Amino acid sequence: GLSDDSGRTLTSSDFNLRCLTPDQRVERLLAYGSHEELDRFNQESRQGNRHPELFALYPPEDAVEIRPIPDCPKEHTGDRILVRCQAIKFEIDIEPVFATMALYDLKEKKKISENFYCDLNSEQFRSFLKPHMPHVDHSTLAKSAIFSVTYPTPDIYLVIKIEKVLQQGEISDCADPYMTFRECDSAKNKDKLEKLRGHAETFCHRLGRYRMPFAWATVNVMEVISTVALDRDVTDSDSLRGLPRRNSERYSTIDDQFCNVSAFKPATITISTIFKQEGDRLSDEDLLKFLADIKKSSTPQRRIKTISGSIKLDMSPVHDTPLACLSTELIPLIPVAEKNIRPVKEVLEFPSSEVYVPHNIYRNLLFVYPQRLNFVNRLTSARNITIKIQFMSGEDQSCSLPVIFGKSSGPEFLQEVYTPITYHNKSPDFYEEVKLVLPACLTERHHLLFTFYHISCQQKQNQSGSCETLIGYSWLPMLNNDRLQTGQFCLPIVLERLPVNYSLHTPEVPPVKWMESHKGLFNLEIQAVSSVHTQDNHLERFFSLCHALEGGATFPLRVREEKIPENKLEHELKLSIISLSSSSLEPLVLFLHLVLDKLFTLIMQPMVIAGQTANLAQIAFESVVSIVNSLHNSQELIRDQQGRNSLLATYLYWVFRLPDPPQDMQNSGSDILIFSSDKFIICHTSHIYCNVLYSISYRHWIVSLWFVHLFLLQQFHEELALQMVVSTGVCRENAYKYAWFFFELLVKSMAQHVSQLDKQSVPRRNRFSDRFKDDITTIVSVVTAEIGTILEVEQAEKVNISLAFFLYDLLSLMDRGFVFQLVKNYCNQMSSKTVSLPTLISMRLEFLRILCSHEHYLNLSLFFSSPGSAPASPCPSISSQSSGSCSFQEQQRILGLFELSQDFKQQHYLAGLLLTELSAALDMESEGYYLPLTLLLQIKAINAIYSLLCSHDLDHRCIKPEVRAKVAALYLPLVGIIIDSTNYLDFTVSDTRCGKNKTGIPDDDLENVPPINQSVAMAIAGNPFNTLGRNVLQGKSVATLAADTSRHLLVCFLWVMKNADRSLIQRWTVDMPPSQLNKLLELLTICVSCFEYRVMSTQALQKSQQAKLQLEEALLRGMGARGEMMKRVGGRMDRTMGQRENLRWRKDLTQWRQTNDKQDKTKAELDQEAMISGNLATETNLIVLDLLETIVQAVPLAECKDSVVGGVLKVLLHSLTCNQSTTFLSHTFSTLRALVVKFGDLLFEEEAEQCADLCQKVLQYCSSPVDENRSQACATLYLIMRYSYSNASNFSRVKMQVTMSLASLVGKSSDFQEEYLRRSLRTILAYAEDDTEMQNTQLNLNSILSDTVKMREFQEDPEMLMDLMYRIAKGYQTSPDLRLTWLQNMAEKHNNRKCYTESAMCLVHAAALVAEYLSMLEDHKYLPVGSVTFQNISPNVLEESAVSDDILSPDEDGVCSGRYFTESGLVGLLEQAAELFSNGCLFEAVNEVYKIIIPILEAHRDFRKLASTHDKLQRAFDNIIKKGHKRMFGTYFRVGFYGAKFGDLDEREFIYKEPAITHLPEISHRLENFYSQCFGDETLVMIKDSTPVDRKQLNPNKAYIQITYVEPFFDDYEMKDRLTNFEKNFNLRRFMYTTPFTKSGRPRGELNEQYKRKTILTTMHAFPYVKTRINVIQKEEFDLTPIEVAIEDMQKKTRELAVATHREQPDAKMLQMLLQGSVGATVNQGPLEVAQVFLNEIPADPKLFRHHNKLRLCFKEFIMRCGEAVEKNKHLITSDQKEYQQELKKNYNRLRESLRPMLERKIPELYKPIIRPRLENRDSFKRLSFRRVQEENS
């Protein structure tokens, strides 16, 4: 417990330090001979193990601007699925079966793949077919197929059709054995099965080449994939592959889960439902209907019979092409030598919608689909019908070409193929797909021949070998007017032999015998998949005319149905060029590369037509522009992030090449020559891509180019530039809108031109003609002008970026001077417009950013000629001579290097431009630009510099330090720019620690506001260092940069400082004006804050998350009723607190760039991040430390040494407040020791306040658990004390500062490590013991340390803790500095608990203490006369006058030497107190505080501060007006402690002040929790009532607590002065509570026996005080008789009614509630019963006459107030309450009538003259108890 003996100090738990073991000491602490040697040693140790690349620790997202390399052209594939056929098994196994697989999209009602054939027949069954299969090619043995799906939908089905060899009978008859026999009965049915097998073998031998439909099965592929999906978050494969963006409706409705076909687990599927084929429903339409039924109900609607059996498939995704894979053309993709590896086939996809990928491989396939045959009207026996299909190159049978792809287990290519047969069906449907490869060059002789046969299933006796009976023929020519025929056809059938030359005609022409008189009987469909045949009219026409132009045709030229003579060729060609862009998008994209190549050839070469030279360049250029426009405008095609169409970008990067001039042109003597070849092959090679082969052989495209002489040959880039310049109208508009394409085209053609010239070594300046340069200048100028006129900002930005890249490319190709001139023109043009369009500044920045990311940027900026090298040591030794020996010109030159001068801009052109932009962006606000735009531009400018420096830092060409110094010299002006923009920097990053916020000090001169003790400053005012209190520009708000942008800018500054020449930096800091140097030091402070280490380890993260949960729970659940009220009222103050606290916890809200999406990262990644972050913090802080050392070493040359050293010390101290690594701390302590050694006297004399901070910071590290930190801190503290020892006054001051710092540390830090601090003190003693000079000194620090032991015990009991701290502070009554420190410690503790009023009181006491000592020193009228002046704030303050000048004289032995014992210190303390009173809503006290401050400010003529003071006063008074009666002040409770367990607290009573609206259970619960932890649940007893406690009845082994709610008590005379709500809640010393009782001992009884006891308690001090509990020193009690109780009750009721009735804004509900309790029918016995008990009869005892009369008068007033209230209510009620009002009125009248006889009866004796009785005889007021409690000092 605590004793009351104020004289006793708490040193009972002293320890003997000498019994501890000291830490390891720092070697050679005092061993340096000279300052230079010390500096050199520190410098060397700092440079060890440093990171050469700063940006490796802080990389930007995008270091350099790059254009993405477009995808290499390749064949289109969708998502690929590998399907492997494992087994097809039926109940019986009697014959070979054949499977065909294909994919169908039910949604699109379309077959989406070609067929894949496989059979799994045994060798035995294969031998049945030997006669019909002459040989089997390896490629036909595939059992696995790769299907491709471009547009996945939920309705994609894999359909497996099963066929068997044709045999006699319907499908049903043939399927019957499969349905009737069971596998389990095979032994029983052995004979039958053998018989069936024999039949099958017979049919196979005879009819083995014919097939019949048998069965089919299906599975929903997407269902399989979605059930086994691995990971649905894989990037959409479409976007990876550069596929078209499908903006169409069908694509957007795809279910997400089906879009990821590329990642699912391999699955094995067993299909057990196999449907029998229906002979009359074989077509694809029928199949799709079946699938639709299956989707709805899992079985087809029309009952189809099923065959029992199973099909087993494996399905897996394909990422890499498997071994032995064959393309759809059967070309091996990955050839393998071994034949035993079974091949895998790629199945060609027929995408359900368009796919926009140009042809990149040669493909020329034709698919023939026979659909229906109708022989119903034919009276022949032809019923088992098959069609033989052949591809003929002539009419002879030998002309049948082997181009038809074979099926499974047979030849690779066939000459003929037969369709399956439906038994006895005269009009069969077919589902056959015949795939054939088309010859590269088709002629009019090529045709398809169809031969129709009837097949006899049963061999008749008279028949010989053949089973085929010819029915007829039909045919289809492949070309129609030179164009491939595709689509639907219905052909007639010839009954007799085919006529001669039939193939040259369509089947309608020859006069032969036709079936059914030439009627179309045979339906079929033809589809082509070809990279040779365009199948588009416009493209076909264009290519035909180009072919003619190139000399590959005879005139008149036939194009489709028309004939074109030679003289019309030019006109027709122009028309065809114009109509190119009209062709539909898909074919245009498919043949894009070829179309563009042709057009570029036309642009470049003048053509000779009919002897005339035709220049088609302009029209070809317009067509190119038109195509480029339509490709960009298509919603179907994707673009990259720079808006470039991907197809065009791919063409430019991989495909485009200048058309080659013919080889033999130079040798030719003739005017015109022809260059021709039979094949047009373009093979493009590059360093990456050399295997894309276009081999497009098409008879139109035999290249035959007409060339003129070489001197006439126009270079392609010149012609292109010319066309861009001369273009007009829409063409011009679009050419510049999509300028990127033409720019890249120009650059590519120029590069190819330069590559040809390089072989002839032409100098750079002569590479291009002057005319071409003029054209380029014009183009750049026009595009720059366009940028300003394009309305859509996004479009303008894209054009701007493309222009930037164009000039970027030109720097590599053209004369650099010419390109710089273009850049200059651009900048000038843009500058002239920026006034009207501020967004252009942003574009100009983007432009420069791109230009500066050029790989040769440093050389282009002439970094090597930088003047930034330091002068060759102008003085012999910098530290030994003054600056006078260096010339003024030299000084100006050095300072000039750090400014953005005109010379610099001219010499380093690009760097100058970029730095100019940055400087302008940071100054923009002063020019009145729109704020968000300003911030955006600043971010852009900073990021440009940031990424540029990063690219230098990580560039292997810049590894050498001397190169880096040259590069850094290029950016010296950046340093000046950054220093000037310190006001814009955001260092809030440093504030999020410990809940600091930005300093709220207004625009005063901050030096005049001395920062008080850091702990208080941090908790109350914000930042502890006034360097951080950024000056707000005179009366103007400043747009602060975002924190991460500030960090980017600062890291650039640090990089320059790290790499620049050190001697140059030193000269610069010497020559710098003091104001600039202060700015530099402020900037370094900000750097320290911004790069503070703050990444947590995973463990710390878990802990913080627990803490976060606890905090959130406490915030929501805690604070009891006050918390509830805050939630309801929404207390603004707490809400902002909550937001700040959120900031601490919610990393997603923190202002600095977090690497903290921790939940998604592995532990290894988190640890890696923590390591990088730690290294960054260390490296940045070491750069700052290097710079500080450089500045300090230049101090002897500086004119104002003291301010420089002080400034450096400020930065060092600030770095110690941040989280730092041990490495950095050890170097910082070394630097601090060097400062003390070199400038000790200066520091101790001039920088006393800073020394106090230094002592505190160093002491903090003395209690660090890290040995290295502790060791360094001890050495530093010892050195400070040793160097101050040489000067007696300094030493006493340092002693006092160390003592105060220790007291502050002990008082405010709950987590400081006492044992480590003891060990540190032991280490300091060890230093002193070894040092002869220091052995006599004594530091009594141990006694302060022992206070911590006590404080630990009461960490959880805030009242007890404050009592202890109060006691400690009181113990230092004779040591004002320490008392002040402990008062500030208390203030901080209160502030942490949000007890703002008590915190303010601590500071008021501290201010009174300072005032006492100031009045001793000097007698100024404006200063307060000691603590007396503070009485108006609180009478408690008088205790600060306890120390008189007899005991102590100020300014002796370091006493009162702290920074607070000054006038500005006093003002500082009072201002903080006023701020806290304001937080605590005691606005009236704010006024009293400022009454003391204002005279001091007036005396100092500090008008700026006076203005802000009056502003604060106005706010305080406004708040009083607004919140006057709404404010909630404290709630008070009497707490009594009983029992020996409490020690000194036993039988002591306290008044506790709790937050407003605290309920009794809350404080009860809190104390119960705490003390039950101390004593145990069984020992503690809470007394539930407020009756006096009888010690005799208590158990001596238990602890008892009694808690009672009390209210402030005032005598009547006091109430005259306490009018306002505030006055009734301020300076309270007396409190009252009442206890009801009856004479019989029960607490409650009838009205006539109910007594009440009032207890009045007086406290030792008035509330509010420096503590939240004060002990009771006096107790008075008096009892009220029943009638007095009744009087009090009635007065209370009457008062409540009066208040409710006469409120300015009456509350109807409140009024009705009171009326209900007064006159309501149910409560009539309330007041009525009181009247009947006490007023019914005149009392017999004359002593009660007066009470009787008083009660009668009370009732009179009560009934009057009731009447008023009823009337008032009448005006407040709504229409629906009229009945209620009538009821109230009736009850009121009834009550009045009942009371009337009693109220009119008077006591006659009272109206006679009477003698006033003496007080002693009035029993009711006899003093029953007057117990004085022993006074105490707490």
Side-chain angles (χ1 to χ4, degrees), residues 1284-1296:
S1284 63
Y1285 184 56
S1286 57
N1287 176 324
S1289 67
N1290 280 348
F1291 184 59
S1292 56
R1293 183 183 295 149
V1294 168
K1295 248 172 61 174
M1296 178 56 76

Side-chain angles (χ1 to χ4, degrees), residues 1257-1275:
K1257 288 290 158 290
V1258 176
L1259 256 174
Q1260 250 168 348
Y1261 281 102
C1262 284
S1263 65
S1264 161
V1266 182
D1267 295 352
E1268 171 70 11
N1269 292 356
R1270 228 174 29 249
S1271 166
Q1272 291 286 343
C1274 288

Side-chain angles (χ1 to χ4, degrees), residues 1322-1333:
R1322 173 68 189 96
T1323 311
I1324 292 173
L1325 277 179
Y1327 277 122
E1329 285 163 3
D1330 295 351
D1331 188 345
T1332 49
E1333 283 189 42

Side-chain angles (χ1 to χ4, degrees), residues 1324-1391:
I1324 292 173
L1325 277 179
Y1327 277 122
E1329 285 163 3
D1330 295 351
D1331 188 345
T1332 49
E1333 283 189 42
M1334 289 289 285
Q1335 280 169 358
N1336 304 325
T1337 56
Q1338 287 293 314
L1339 258 182
N1340 187 17
L1341 301 175
N1342 213 21
S1343 60
I1344 297 173
L1345 259 179
S1346 57
D1347 293 335
T1348 59
V1349 183
K1350 280 271 182 168
M1351 288 177 66
R1352 282 286 152 82
E1353 293 172 23
F1354 300 114
Q1355 206 57 51
E1356 296 304 312
D1357 181 358
E1359 284 81 18
M1360 205 63 185
L1361 185 63
M1362 294 318 295
D1363 270 0
L1364 176 67
M1365 292 178 80
Y1366 176 74
R1367 179 85 50 82
I1368 294 169
K1370 208 160 180 61
Y1372 291 121
Q1373 201 91 30
T1374 53
S1375 175
D1377 301 77
L1378 285 171
R1379 175 166 173 77
L1380 187 70
T1381 302
W1382 279 96
L1383 282 168
Q1384 288 172 327
N1385 291 342
M1386 288 174 73
E1388 170 157 15
K1389 283 275 186 250
H1390 280 306
N1391 194 55

